[in-house]
Amino acid sequence: MSKLFQVDYQTPIGVLEITGTDEAVNSILFAEQDVVVHPLTEETPMALKECYVQMDEYFKGERHKFSFPSISVGTEFQKSVWNALTTIPYGETGSYKDIAMIIGNEKAIRAVGSANGKNKLSIVVPCHRIIGSDGKLTGYAGGLWRKEWLLKHEKGITRLPI
């Protein structure tokens, strides 16, 4: 089993905890507390360093796609949903129904919602881009206020902290 490392990145909307191994990032989640505990060090693996830099570029409005090594652990269905989420372009939104149609299972709307909620690669696998079919914001593990901020950020409405 590979050793896990963590680095924390301070965003305008809270701390992102980035975890992974020497090979890849496996989790990017908003922390409950707003304190940076794990800074970049010489021992931080390159994958986490690349993620940190790319998150910084994203929050500065300079990056729309990510290229650092990452790995998602889940069922084949969850992975298909997460892969479909990455097809929603920067600055745009989709619905659970849209994702169900992309994966070829129109009736799996609730299962898509469940898989969406288990995504551990926030922002990179853009679950924040999923809204209700009625255009309203739906649940987001990081909080609806963060989801709203991220969507506005991607549409160029805000570049500053709320």
Side-chain angles (χ1 to χ4, degrees), residues 103-125:
I103 65 170
N105 191 344
E106 288 182 52
K107 298 191 187 289
I109 295 170
R110 287 180 189 236
V112 165
S114 177
N116 193 50
K118 290 179 173 68
N119 170 34
K120 291 191 185 247
L121 293 173
S122 295
I123 300 170
V124 175
V125 175

Side-chain angles (χ1 to χ4, degrees), residues 85-145:
L85 287 169
T86 65
T87 68
I88 300 172
Y90 182 93
E92 296 184 23
T93 57
S95 68
Y96 293 138
K97 183 177 181 181
D98 294 335
I99 298 300
M101 291 176 71
I102 290 170
I103 65 170
N105 191 344
E106 288 182 52
K107 298 191 187 289
I109 295 170
R110 287 180 189 236
V112 165
S114 177
N116 193 50
K118 290 179 173 68
N119 170 34
K120 291 191 185 247
L121 293 173
S122 295
I123 300 170
V124 175
V125 175
C127 54
H128 64 279
R129 295 182 190 152
I130 296 297
I131 61 172
S133 296
D134 59 2
K136 293 184 179 174
L137 294 185
T138 56
Y140 182 64
L144 285 180
W145 67 276

